[in-house]
Amino acid sequence: MHTAAPVPAASAGGPAPDWAERTATLLEAVRARGPLVHCITNTVVQNVTANVLLALGASAAMVDVVTEAGPFARVADALLVNTGTPHAEPRAAALEAAVAAVEAGTPWVLDPVAVGSLPVRTALARDLLALHPTVLRGNASEVLAVLGASAGGRGVDSTVGTDDARHAAQDASDGRRVAAVAVSGPVDLLVAPGIGAVRVANGTELLTRITGGGCALGAVVAAFTAVSPGDAGAAAVAATAVHTIAAELAAREAGGPGTFQPLFLDRLASLSPEDVVREARITVEAPAVAA
Amino acid sequence: MHTAAPVPAASAGGPAPDWAERTATLLEAVRARGPLVHCITNTVVQNVTANVLLALGASAAMVDVVTEAGPFARVADALLVNTGTPHAEPRAAALEAAVAAVEAGTPWVLDPVAVGSLPVRTALARDLLALHPTVLRGNASEVLAVLGASAGGRGVDSTVGTDDARHAAQDASDGRRVAAVAVSGPVDLLVAPGIGAVRVANGTELLTRITGGGCALGAVVAAFTAVSPGDAGAAAVAATAVHTIAAELAAREAGGPGTFQPLFLDRLASLSPEDVVREARITVEAPAVAA
Amino acid sequence: MHTAAPVPAASAGGPAPDWAERTATLLEAVRARGPLVHCITNTVVQNVTANVLLALGASAAMVDVVTEAGPFARVADALLVNTGTPHAEPRAAALEAAVAAVEAGTPWVLDPVAVGSLPVRTALARDLLALHPTVLRGNASEVLAVLGASAGGRGVDSTVGTDDARHAAQDASDGRRVAAVAVSGPVDLLVAPGIGAVRVANGTELLTRITGGGCALGAVVAAFTAVSPGDAGAAAVAATAVHTIAAELAAREAGGPGTFQPLFLDRLASLSPEDVVREARITVEAPAVAA
């Protein structure tokens, strides 16, 4: 469904300023189009997720009841499914929406929050993964756990490093289980066929001192997939860069995790293409050669 | 149940400074009484809704389980029912609460979020409308859809203008389906028998860049109905003016949609009668003469 | 399960600077350990509760579905159960979690929000109380109602004073129904065997002008129980002092209830042991002598 779009030439290990330019272009596309992002996400972060999407210039709708979720996923520009509070009703709605998204060609993001030892969300996330999300986003523990490569962390915090998830992510995207994988951490790792492994070194520790810093990124990735058809890797890189650059700029003004949050939304709303190009710290490696 | 209270003389099409004075008086009444507003609202905006009510000087209680909702609606000073995330349990609680509110004479507001093509909330909103809410509040798409006049928008944003809903709103209030209708938009439109069509031109575009800007207004309208018995139109006008003036003042200081939110709550809490009189941009038309 | 730890000498009625020092020490212990607090709490305050825990230096996980809640309560460092929005699924999860916490020795806090005349949460809170929470935290109305001493308030605000709950709290902790009771009010009252009645006079009226001011304190108490094994009274005192001192410092800078919230999180994150010692207004009475 997602055909390959041109990707920038990748210079192994070095700086890749073309990704910064591309991120700036995709940010402008999000603002121009204002994609409607259908979110089925946990109740802890619904509010901040909607506010992040609105600040970005997208729209948000939390439609998580059965018989509404499927039809809505068909008309939305993108879908986010997050497993954070997997009650029975949104669980069924999540599967209904994902099936409809796949049928309608709506790009969608799976965010397997706290998957691993917790049985309900782990079963749900694996059922969702079997439907081939456009992007899988999580921390390293979550990504490894949903891909079946480890038992996951305790709670929502990762117990392994981003690079520990690299091979599992590469295998998943090479094998077309997903079109791209976004592994969040101190340096974010984005993996997709054609782009190899891209690293975004922007961000701030304050993103881990608020709830929803990662969950909202899942929604931002969804918004970017709506303006990057057929190139989930580019959407994942651009979304991650925009999210973490805005956070980094907000952190410079913030007095702590509390004032960071409104400033982060302000910076998301005001972030200019020039800001992106100036601040982005994106590096790219050539795709690993298969043995 | 709601008998007519005196309404100010309406001068067709011209400025109506008496509405500003009346709004200031009702604001002081809300603060003096501190009405307890029973909210059955969507999980995305529960927090901001409660905070808006508390900043205003009212109290909030989110009682949305069956067997609690009905008895609570009887003792609360006002009730808000919002259809934003219509899960089975709060859906049943909403109907239980509305029936109890009608029986007990508790004024109540229906906010038909995203009603139209989404079947669960649309059926729920129509069942609730059949119970004759005191005030119906929504954007033009939602108001038209719940009144059966159109299919509604896509998601939570209106696809038609405020004035497109004027005749449907007038018909609904003239026919006593509701006591008043509040149509939110760049200029808000308030319609009720006796007051004709009142327009409030305050506000800020930032209210559309945060989640809950409209949903919280539904709760503010509910709070004002508690101090304006028998005059739902006055409650709708005053609530809309207070909400949008506070937002407008906050927007002057805000650096974006993030810092706007705490400043909005501060301005709601500190808004003086003088601020209201100075800032209000309220105009009124004579009631349309029936054919 | 909770054996008595040394408590500071209590001087009847006078100032007790040792409690300020002890609070500072426990705050540092929370930050050093970063306890994972399992929260089953109402949907209105999930976000602010998580943010308060993160600002404090703890971790939060909202695991409120059946079959996940029990196992998670065994591995978490502490558990909070709050009855604010008692839907069927989190209700069952709350009981599952509490039983598991008791079996595993995980300290846990019961916050009986709005218990009294509302039947679902009142039955739930009494079932939970029968499992002997480590700490019972609420306002005076809620504490009296769950202990069977009164019918409770209307909604979430207390209709009686803190001291009205003193004897019921003393009886409950003396009789080992709970290890400690935290009664919130303008002056907070903490009661446990060995510490007598401790009063914390810090805080700000702004804590009552935002939603979750009390609910989040329940989570903070849970975090402190994780670093104060066997001494629930000390955890309750220290958590209350830290929470209310941070709030008091934030209120000095805030322009209203809106800007208070981010500043409160900033102050929680930056609060130093010196701040605690300088600002704490804690007094202690000798335990009442049994007749």
PDB file of all heavy atoms in Angstrom, chain B residues 12-40:
ATOM      1  N   ALA B  12     -32.940  46.277  18.280  1.00  0.00           N
ATOM      2  CA  ALA B  12     -32.635  45.441  17.119  1.00  0.00           C
ATOM      3  C   ALA B  12     -31.297  45.802  16.477  1.00  0.00           C
ATOM      4  O   ALA B  12     -31.098  46.914  16.028  1.00  0.00           O
ATOM      5  CB  ALA B  12     -33.752  45.568  16.091  1.00  0.00           C
ATOM      6  N   GLY B  13     -30.389  44.844  16.456  1.00  0.00           N
ATOM      7  CA  GLY B  13     -29.147  45.000  15.719  1.00  0.00           C
ATOM      8  C   GLY B  13     -28.104  45.888  16.371  1.00  0.00           C
ATOM      9  O   GLY B  13     -26.941  45.856  15.984  1.00  0.00           O
ATOM     10  N   GLY B  14     -28.458  46.656  17.342  1.00  0.00           N
ATOM     11  CA  GLY B  14     -27.516  47.615  17.899  1.00  0.00           C
ATOM     12  C   GLY B  14     -26.740  47.038  19.067  1.00  0.00           C
ATOM     13  O   GLY B  14     -26.912  45.883  19.440  1.00  0.00           O
ATOM     14  N   PRO B  15     -25.853  47.843  19.636  1.00  0.00           N
ATOM     15  CA  PRO B  15     -25.135  47.401  20.816  1.00  0.00           C
ATOM     16  C   PRO B  15     -26.100  47.285  21.985  1.00  0.00           C
ATOM     17  O   PRO B  15     -27.110  47.988  22.038  1.00  0.00           O
ATOM     18  CB  PRO B  15     -24.111  48.508  21.039  1.00  0.00           C
ATOM     19  CG  PRO B  15     -24.679  49.710  20.366  1.00  0.00           C
ATOM     20  CD  PRO B  15     -25.522  49.206  19.231  1.00  0.00           C
ATOM     21  N   ALA B  16     -25.807  46.398  22.888  1.00  0.00           N
ATOM     22  CA  ALA B  16     -26.706  46.175  24.017  1.00  0.00           C
ATOM     23  C   ALA B  16     -25.900  46.164  25.302  1.00  0.00           C
ATOM     24  O   ALA B  16     -25.615  45.115  25.852  1.00  0.00           O
ATOM     25  CB  ALA B  16     -27.459  44.861  23.841  1.00  0.00           C
ATOM     26  N   PRO B  17     -25.499  47.325  25.792  1.00  0.00           N
ATOM     27  CA  PRO B  17     -24.659  47.359  26.989  1.00  0.00           C
ATOM     28  C   PRO B  17     -25.321  46.730  28.193  1.00  0.00           C
ATOM     29  O   PRO B  17     -24.665  46.278  29.111  1.00  0.00           O
ATOM     30  CB  PRO B  17     -24.414  48.861  27.191  1.00  0.00           C
ATOM     31  CG  PRO B  17     -25.489  49.550  26.407  1.00  0.00           C
ATOM     32  CD  PRO B  17     -25.826  48.635  25.275  1.00  0.00           C
ATOM     33  N   ASP B  18     -26.633  46.639  28.211  1.00  0.00           N
ATOM     34  CA  ASP B  18     -27.294  46.000  29.343  1.00  0.00           C
ATOM     35  C   ASP B  18     -26.897  44.521  29.467  1.00  0.00           C
ATOM     36  O   ASP B  18     -26.875  43.979  30.560  1.00  0.00           O
ATOM     37  CB  ASP B  18     -28.809  46.164  29.228  1.00  0.00           C
ATOM     38  CG  ASP B  18     -29.315  45.892  27.824  1.00  0.00           C
ATOM     39  OD1 ASP B  18     -28.504  45.483  26.953  1.00  0.00           O
ATOM     40  OD2 ASP B  18     -30.517  46.077  27.576  1.00  0.00           O
ATOM     41  N   TRP B  19     -26.584  43.864  28.372  1.00  0.00           N
ATOM     42  CA  TRP B  19     -26.128  42.479  28.450  1.00  0.00           C
ATOM     43  C   TRP B  19     -24.774  42.380  29.145  1.00  0.00           C
ATOM     44  O   TRP B  19     -24.508  41.419  29.857  1.00  0.00           O
ATOM     45  CB  TRP B  19     -26.062  41.836  27.058  1.00  0.00           C
ATOM     46  CG  TRP B  19     -27.353  41.204  26.663  1.00  0.00           C
ATOM     47  CD1 TRP B  19     -28.178  41.583  25.654  1.00  0.00           C
ATOM     48  CD2 TRP B  19     -27.960  40.073  27.294  1.00  0.00           C
ATOM     49  NE1 TRP B  19     -29.273  40.763  25.607  1.00  0.00           N
ATOM     50  CE2 TRP B  19     -29.167  39.823  26.593  1.00  0.00           C
ATOM     51  CE3 TRP B  19     -27.631  39.256  28.373  1.00  0.00           C
ATOM     52  CZ2 TRP B  19     -30.033  38.779  26.948  1.00  0.00           C
ATOM     53  CZ3 TRP B  19     -28.492  38.221  28.717  1.00  0.00           C
ATOM     54  CH2 TRP B  19     -29.675  37.998  28.017  1.00  0.00           C
ATOM     55  N   ALA B  20     -23.942  43.353  28.937  1.00  0.00           N
ATOM     56  CA  ALA B  20     -22.650  43.344  29.628  1.00  0.00           C
ATOM     57  C   ALA B  20     -22.848  43.485  31.135  1.00  0.00           C
ATOM     58  O   ALA B  20     -22.250  42.755  31.928  1.00  0.00           O
ATOM     59  CB  ALA B  20     -21.761  44.472  29.086  1.00  0.00           C
ATOM     60  N   GLU B  21     -23.728  44.408  31.528  1.00  0.00           N
ATOM     61  CA  GLU B  21     -24.027  44.579  32.959  1.00  0.00           C
ATOM     62  C   GLU B  21     -24.633  43.297  33.539  1.00  0.00           C
ATOM     63  O   GLU B  21     -24.297  42.878  34.643  1.00  0.00           O
ATOM     64  CB  GLU B  21     -25.013  45.751  33.174  1.00  0.00           C
ATOM     65  CG  GLU B  21     -24.460  47.120  32.781  1.00  0.00           C
ATOM     66  CD  GLU B  21     -23.490  47.689  33.829  1.00  0.00           C
ATOM     67  OE1 GLU B  21     -23.311  47.067  34.886  1.00  0.00           O
ATOM     68  OE2 GLU B  21     -22.899  48.759  33.557  1.00  0.00           O
ATOM     69  N   ARG B  22     -25.536  42.740  32.775  1.00  0.00           N
ATOM     70  CA  ARG B  22     -26.205  41.541  33.271  1.00  0.00           C
ATOM     71  C   ARG B  22     -25.215  40.378  33.415  1.00  0.00           C
ATOM     72  O   ARG B  22     -25.289  39.587  34.369  1.00  0.00           O
ATOM     73  CB  ARG B  22     -27.308  41.163  32.292  1.00  0.00           C
ATOM     74  CG  ARG B  22     -28.230  40.149  32.877  1.00  0.00           C
ATOM     75  CD  ARG B  22     -29.515  40.068  32.101  1.00  0.00           C
ATOM     76  NE  ARG B  22     -30.450  39.214  32.793  1.00  0.00           N
ATOM     77  CZ  ARG B  22     -31.530  38.718  32.231  1.00  0.00           C
ATOM     78  NH1 ARG B  22     -31.836  39.042  30.984  1.00  0.00           N
ATOM     79  NH2 ARG B  22     -32.316  37.935  32.918  1.00  0.00           N
ATOM     80  N   THR B  23     -24.296  40.296  32.466  1.00  0.00           N
ATOM     81  CA  THR B  23     -23.256  39.259  32.549  1.00  0.00           C
ATOM     82  C   THR B  23     -22.420  39.452  33.805  1.00  0.00           C
ATOM     83  O   THR B  23     -22.132  38.483  34.536  1.00  0.00           O
ATOM     84  CB  THR B  23     -22.372  39.327  31.293  1.00  0.00           C
ATOM     85  OG1 THR B  23     -23.162  38.984  30.152  1.00  0.00           O
ATOM     86  CG2 THR B  23     -21.173  38.384  31.402  1.00  0.00           C
ATOM     87  N   ALA B  24     -22.049  40.693  34.076  1.00  0.00           N
ATOM     88  CA  ALA B  24     -21.246  40.976  35.268  1.00  0.00           C
ATOM     89  C   ALA B  24     -21.996  40.580  36.538  1.00  0.00           C
ATOM     90  O   ALA B  24     -21.420  39.999  37.467  1.00  0.00           O
ATOM     91  CB  ALA B  24     -20.875  42.460  35.301  1.00  0.00           C
ATOM     92  N   THR B  25     -23.287  40.858  36.568  1.00  0.00           N
ATOM     93  CA  THR B  25     -24.100  40.500  37.740  1.00  0.00           C
ATOM     94  C   THR B  25     -24.189  38.981  37.913  1.00  0.00           C
ATOM     95  O   THR B  25     -24.070  38.456  39.032  1.00  0.00           O
ATOM     96  CB  THR B  25     -25.513  41.104  37.586  1.00  0.00           C
ATOM     97  OG1 THR B  25     -25.381  42.520  37.448  1.00  0.00           O
ATOM     98  CG2 THR B  25     -26.383  40.769  38.780  1.00  0.00           C
ATOM     99  N   LEU B  26     -24.389  38.288  36.810  1.00  0.00           N
ATOM    100  CA  LEU B  26     -24.480  36.826  36.904  1.00  0.00           C
ATOM    101  C   LEU B  26     -23.132  36.209  37.285  1.00  0.00           C
ATOM    102  O   LEU B  26     -23.079  35.200  38.003  1.00  0.00           O
ATOM    103  CB  LEU B  26     -25.002  36.242  35.593  1.00  0.00           C
ATOM    104  CG  LEU B  26     -26.499  36.475  35.353  1.00  0.00           C
ATOM    105  CD1 LEU B  26     -26.908  36.008  33.953  1.00  0.00           C
ATOM    106  CD2 LEU B  26     -27.340  35.727  36.406  1.00  0.00           C
ATOM    107  N   LEU B  27     -22.044  36.792  36.819  1.00  0.00           N
ATOM    108  CA  LEU B  27     -20.717  36.297  37.225  1.00  0.00           C
ATOM    109  C   LEU B  27     -20.558  36.409  38.739  1.00  0.00           C
ATOM    110  O   LEU B  27     -20.098  35.468  39.404  1.00  0.00           O
ATOM    111  CB  LEU B  27     -19.619  37.100  36.519  1.00  0.00           C
ATOM    112  CG  LEU B  27     -18.178  36.810  36.975  1.00  0.00           C
ATOM    113  CD1 LEU B  27     -17.796  35.358  36.753  1.00  0.00           C
ATOM    114  CD2 LEU B  27     -17.191  37.740  36.264  1.00  0.00           C
ATOM    115  N   GLU B  28     -20.980  37.546  39.280  1.00  0.00           N
ATOM    116  CA  GLU B  28     -20.883  37.696  40.733  1.00  0.00           C
ATOM    117  C   GLU B  28     -21.790  36.696  41.451  1.00  0.00           C
ATOM    118  O   GLU B  28     -21.446  36.183  42.518  1.00  0.00           O
ATOM    119  CB  GLU B  28     -21.211  39.132  41.135  1.00  0.00           C
ATOM    120  CG  GLU B  28     -20.144  40.104  40.626  1.00  0.00           C
ATOM    121  CD  GLU B  28     -20.387  41.531  41.075  1.00  0.00           C
ATOM    122  OE1 GLU B  28     -21.404  42.121  40.643  1.00  0.00           O
ATOM    123  OE2 GLU B  28     -19.567  42.048  41.855  1.00  0.00           O
ATOM    124  N   ALA B  29     -22.922  36.399  40.850  1.00  0.00           N
ATOM    125  CA  ALA B  29     -23.829  35.414  41.464  1.00  0.00           C
ATOM    126  C   ALA B  29     -23.204  34.017  41.467  1.00  0.00           C
ATOM    127  O   ALA B  29     -23.339  33.257  42.434  1.00  0.00           O
ATOM    128  CB  ALA B  29     -25.172  35.409  40.718  1.00  0.00           C
ATOM    129  N   VAL B  30     -22.518  33.682  40.387  1.00  0.00           N
ATOM    130  CA  VAL B  30     -21.836  32.371  40.346  1.00  0.00           C
ATOM    131  C   VAL B  30     -20.802  32.300  41.459  1.00  0.00           C
ATOM    132  O   VAL B  30     -20.723  31.312  42.207  1.00  0.00           O
ATOM    133  CB  VAL B  30     -21.178  32.135  38.973  1.00  0.00           C
ATOM    134  CG1 VAL B  30     -20.201  30.958  39.025  1.00  0.00           C
ATOM    135  CG2 VAL B  30     -22.245  31.890  37.904  1.00  0.00           C
ATOM    136  N   ARG B  31     -20.018  33.361  41.591  1.00  0.00           N
ATOM    137  CA  ARG B  31     -18.954  33.336  42.608  1.00  0.00           C
ATOM    138  C   ARG B  31     -19.537  33.312  44.015  1.00  0.00           C
ATOM    139  O   ARG B  31     -18.981  32.682  44.911  1.00  0.00           O
ATOM    140  CB  ARG B  31     -18.053  34.555  42.427  1.00  0.00           C
ATOM    141  CG  ARG B  31     -17.187  34.397  41.171  1.00  0.00           C
ATOM    142  CD  ARG B  31     -16.116  35.438  41.115  1.00  0.00           C
ATOM    143  NE  ARG B  31     -15.334  35.307  39.892  1.00  0.00           N
ATOM    144  CZ  ARG B  31     -14.906  36.343  39.172  1.00  0.00           C
ATOM    145  NH1 ARG B  31     -15.173  37.569  39.561  1.00  0.00           N
ATOM    146  NH2 ARG B  31     -14.204  36.135  38.082  1.00  0.00           N
ATOM    147  N   ALA B  32     -20.668  34.010  44.207  1.00  0.00           N
ATOM    148  CA  ALA B  32     -21.276  34.037  45.541  1.00  0.00           C
ATOM    149  C   ALA B  32     -21.859  32.674  45.915  1.00  0.00           C
ATOM    150  O   ALA B  32     -21.754  32.232  47.052  1.00  0.00           O
ATOM    151  CB  ALA B  32     -22.369  35.106  45.590  1.00  0.00           C
ATOM    152  N   ARG B  33     -22.446  32.022  44.935  1.00  0.00           N
ATOM    153  CA  ARG B  33     -23.118  30.761  45.256  1.00  0.00           C
ATOM    154  C   ARG B  33     -22.196  29.562  45.126  1.00  0.00           C
ATOM    155  O   ARG B  33     -22.356  28.571  45.834  1.00  0.00           O
ATOM    156  CB  ARG B  33     -24.317  30.591  44.319  1.00  0.00           C
ATOM    157  CG  ARG B  33     -24.993  29.253  44.516  1.00  0.00           C
ATOM    158  CD  ARG B  33     -26.431  29.272  44.130  1.00  0.00           C
ATOM    159  NE  ARG B  33     -26.999  27.935  44.161  1.00  0.00           N
ATOM    160  CZ  ARG B  33     -28.063  27.572  43.494  1.00  0.00           C
ATOM    161  NH1 ARG B  33     -28.699  28.461  42.742  1.00  0.00           N
ATOM    162  NH2 ARG B  33     -28.520  26.333  43.562  1.00  0.00           N
ATOM    163  N   GLY B  34     -21.239  29.612  44.201  1.00  0.00           N
ATOM    164  CA  GLY B  34     -20.350  28.463  43.997  1.00  0.00           C
ATOM    165  C   GLY B  34     -21.122  27.219  43.621  1.00  0.00           C
ATOM    166  O   GLY B  34     -21.020  26.194  44.305  1.00  0.00           O
ATOM    167  N   PRO B  35     -21.884  27.252  42.558  1.00  0.00           N
ATOM    168  CA  PRO B  35     -22.733  26.102  42.225  1.00  0.00           C
ATOM    169  C   PRO B  35     -21.923  24.831  41.988  1.00  0.00           C
ATOM    170  O   PRO B  35     -20.840  24.869  41.411  1.00  0.00           O
ATOM    171  CB  PRO B  35     -23.438  26.547  40.936  1.00  0.00           C
ATOM    172  CG  PRO B  35     -22.597  27.631  40.363  1.00  0.00           C
ATOM    173  CD  PRO B  35     -21.967  28.317  41.540  1.00  0.00           C
ATOM    174  N   LEU B  36     -22.490  23.731  42.439  1.00  0.00           N
ATOM    175  CA  LEU B  36     -21.889  22.412  42.205  1.00  0.00           C
ATOM    176  C   LEU B  36     -22.401  21.892  40.868  1.00  0.00           C
ATOM    177  O   LEU B  36     -23.596  21.637  40.708  1.00  0.00           O
ATOM    178  CB  LEU B  36     -22.290  21.457  43.335  1.00  0.00           C
ATOM    179  CG  LEU B  36     -21.876  19.998  43.176  1.00  0.00           C
ATOM    180  CD1 LEU B  36     -20.365  19.847  43.028  1.00  0.00           C
ATOM    181  CD2 LEU B  36     -22.365  19.177  44.374  1.00  0.00           C
ATOM    182  N   VAL B  37     -21.500  21.743  39.920  1.00  0.00           N
ATOM    183  CA  VAL B  37     -21.879  21.302  38.579  1.00  0.00           C
ATOM    184  C   VAL B  37     -21.506  19.837  38.396  1.00  0.00           C
ATOM    185  O   VAL B  37     -20.337  19.451  38.486  1.00  0.00           O
ATOM    186  CB  VAL B  37     -21.197  22.164  37.491  1.00  0.00           C
ATOM    187  CG1 VAL B  37     -21.633  21.714  36.105  1.00  0.00           C
ATOM    188  CG2 VAL B  37     -21.530  23.647  37.703  1.00  0.00           C
ATOM    189  N   HIS B  38     -22.509  19.053  38.171  1.00  0.00           N
ATOM    190  CA  HIS B  38     -22.351  17.624  37.916  1.00  0.00           C
ATOM    191  C   HIS B  38     -21.991  17.463  36.441  1.00  0.00           C
ATOM    192  O   HIS B  38     -22.765  17.869  35.572  1.00  0.00           O
ATOM    193  CB  HIS B  38     -23.684  16.940  38.250  1.00  0.00           C
ATOM    194  CG  HIS B  38     -23.726  15.477  37.967  1.00  0.00           C
ATOM    195  ND1 HIS B  38     -24.890  14.742  38.064  1.00  0.00           N
ATOM    196  CD2 HIS B  38     -22.769  14.592  37.598  1.00  0.00           C
ATOM    197  CE1 HIS B  38     -24.645  13.477  37.764  1.00  0.00           C
ATOM    198  NE2 HIS B  38     -23.376  13.369  37.482  1.00  0.00           N
ATOM    199  N   CYS B  39     -20.812  16.890  36.163  1.00  0.00           N
ATOM    200  CA  CYS B  39     -20.345  16.768  34.781  1.00  0.00           C
ATOM    201  C   CYS B  39     -20.248  15.309  34.365  1.00  0.00           C
ATOM    202  O   CYS B  39     -19.565  14.520  35.027  1.00  0.00           O
ATOM    203  CB  CYS B  39     -18.960  17.385  34.631  1.00  0.00           C
ATOM    204  SG  CYS B  39     -18.875  19.133  35.045  1.00  0.00           S
ATOM    205  N   ILE B  40     -20.916  14.977  33.283  1.00  0.00           N
ATOM    206  CA  ILE B  40     -20.692  13.689  32.624  1.00  0.00           C
ATOM    207  C   ILE B  40     -20.113  14.074  31.275  1.00  0.00           C
ATOM    208  O   ILE B  40     -20.837  14.492  30.369  1.00  0.00           O
ATOM    209  CB  ILE B  40     -21.985  12.878  32.504  1.00  0.00           C
ATOM    210  CG1 ILE B  40     -22.527  12.586  33.907  1.00  0.00           C
ATOM    211  CG2 ILE B  40     -21.737  11.586  31.729  1.00  0.00           C
ATOM    212  CD1 ILE B  40     -23.813  11.785  33.927  1.00  0.00           C
TER     213      ILE B  40
END
